[in-house]
Amino acid sequence: MSTVIVVTSGKGGVGKTTTSAAFATALALRGHSTVVVDFDVGLRNLDLIMGCERRVVYDFINVINEEGNLNQALIKDKRVENLYILPASQTRDKSALTQVGVTRVMEALKERFEYIVCDSPAGIEHGAQMAMYFADVALIVTNPEVSSVRDSDRIIGMLASKTLRAEQSLDPVKEHLIISRYVPGRVNKGDMLSADDVQDILAIPLLGVVPESDAVLKASNEGVPVTFQEDSDAGQAYHDITARFVGEDRPQRFIQEQKGFFSRLFHHP
Amino acid sequence: MSHKDTPPTQTAFNLKGSMLTIMVLQLHETNLAVISEQLRSKVAQAPGLFENTPLILDLSHLSDGQASLDWQALLDLFQAQGFLPIAYSGGSLHWRSQIQDLSLPWFNSPVQANKNATPTHIPAKIVQQPVRSGQQLVAEGDLIILSMVSPGAEVLAGGNIHVYGPLHGRALAGINGDEHARIFCQKLEAELVSVSGQYQIRDELDESWFGKAAQVYLEQDNLKIQSFGV
């Protein structure tokens, strides 16, 4: 039994691709056979974040158009077992994602993988709708600011109406909230929405908070998912998120301000 | 002639559409003698009641097979009893062509007596899920939302709107003109509230109601907000 997970947000630049890469990598590191699929046709980025951009020969659209088969398009990750990437096409646009074609590819992926992570493009148009259409679970990535929260609200509304589960009146898509680029210090100063504020507005369960981190920029520049930086706060946050996703109980470590070295020294005996 | 007595800005008249109650006589018979006799006995029951009463003749109950009659004589008959026939309505082409010569106005639609029409109850629409940004919910009657209405969402109802979660979006009650419709919410933080076309946007809302349980209703064409609570 495989699970289709869409990583979506509505707004661009909030960390969908970073989350897709880090989350899929963390699932694979836990031993789950996982594929991460780039739905951002025409603005292909996932291959860069995953560090496999030089190995792309066939892509998702080639498979849809039957110009190549799935095995030719799937790229095996070199660092971790059980992890594959299905890159998007850079030369086409979202209209190439035909319903029939995507259905066929998703069915084939379901036979092979335990988790299928779909990296959605920004927006609410065809590309985003195709990315969410087959989802069993949605990870809603939101930054703690009002425009991002509102766009996420819009996307959550679409998950309840524009998915296969909604059309067939099955159990609704299970929604999880991930708040990324979180800065507890700025929340305390009142400059940033708190995790509670965001949850109040969106009314879906919080899977985890990813702190604003230099490690994320470094990770995307180097093409190494941040999950591999085990000592970084963002890396640890994604490990926590993935652990919670598969049912483990982990405390929320990144909502409160991390104590600096000196305050830790003086306040803890 | 000088018109200087008349202020130049004064409006000479207003044109307005309006609904009037008017007596309708449904004609079932074309025999003048029968009509005359029954009319006389009807008027005899209440002498003077029908004096100068405007009347519309409804021909929709006449069938083409019935015998013709002298329409001018019929009108004279009504006038003799105090009625003022002002127009006729309904009727097939057969009857209308006969009455055309009388230069009496004709109403296109047959006059509906509407006696049998009972007020129909429209069941309320009940929504359990949050209404998300970009979603629009429309209910013909009452709309009951057990969850929240997000910013950028819009809920509309012909009747009342009840919101049991926070109301962040837009709520429009009485969209078909019901001035008695109201909006009830547990936490008023709306972008816009409207009853029967009268609306207020967030900026115009009295801050003191913000975030409180409140109802929105019309009082003499003015939108009122009143808190309620336990």
Side-chain angles (χ1 to χ4, degrees), chain A residues 236-248:
Chain A
Q236 288 173 18
Y238 278 113
H239 278 289
D240 283 1
I241 282 169
T242 313
R244 282 186 212 108
F245 182 83
V246 298
E248 283 178 27

Side-chain angles (χ1 to χ4, degrees), chain A residues 26-93:
Chain A
L27 281 173
L29 283 168
R30 295 175 143 282
H32 301 287
S33 102
T34 305
V35 61
V36 54
V37 184
D38 192 352
F39 274 80
D40 205 350
V41 179
L43 295 167
R44 187 176 81 193
N45 281 154
L46 181 69
D47 54 325
L48 292 172
I49 309 287
M50 293 298 295
C52 64
E53 72 277 13
R54 294 180 199 170
R55 295 162 61 204
V56 176
V57 183
Y58 289 97
D59 58 45
F60 193 5
I61 302 303
N62 292 139
V63 183
I64 284 175
N65 294 341
E66 297 183 304
E67 295 153 356
N69 66 39
L70 190 57
N71 284 327
Q72 289 173 306
L74 283 172
I75 302 171
K76 190 179 186 310
D77 191 270
K78 285 183 171 172
R79 297 154 297 210
V80 50
E81 279 292 309
N82 306 320
L83 181 60
Y84 286 82
I85 299 107
L86 182 57
S89 166
Q90 182 68 358
T91 55
R92 307 294 295 272
D93 63 40

Side-chain angles (χ1 to χ4, degrees), chain A residues 138-140 156 174-179 199 202-208 252, chain B residues 132:
Chain A
L139 304 186
I140 317 289
I156 298 168
K174 203 169 172 205
E175 295 142 349
H176 294 287
L177 178 63
I178 294 176
I179 304 174
Q199 273 188 95
L202 295 180
I204 59 170
L206 177 69
L207 189 61
Q252 296 282 1
Chain B
R132 302 284 181 182

Side-chain angles (χ1 to χ4, degrees), chain B residues 144-155:
Chain B
I144 300 169
I145 298 156
L146 301 179
S147 186
M148 62 180 184
V149 178
S150 290
E154 195 169 60
V155 292

Side-chain angles (χ1 to χ4, degrees), chain B residues 92-150:
Chain B
S92 64
L93 215 59
H94 169 76
W95 293 110
R96 271 157 42 205
S97 63
Q98 290 187 24
I99 213 165
Q100 246 169 7
D101 304 335
L102 300 176
S103 65
L104 211 56
W106 176 69
F107 284 109
N108 189 8
S109 57
V111 178
Q112 298 284 333
N114 240 1
K115 266 183 201 150
N116 301 326
T118 47
T120 47
H121 171 70
I122 307 166
K125 185 172 189 171
I126 301 172
V127 180
Q128 309 258 9
Q129 300 298 319
V131 188
R132 302 284 181 182
S133 185
Q135 288 181 329
Q136 190 186 53
L137 272 185
V138 187
E140 218 181 311
D142 285 5
L143 178 58
I144 300 169
I145 298 156
L146 301 179
S147 186
M148 62 180 184
V149 178
S150 290

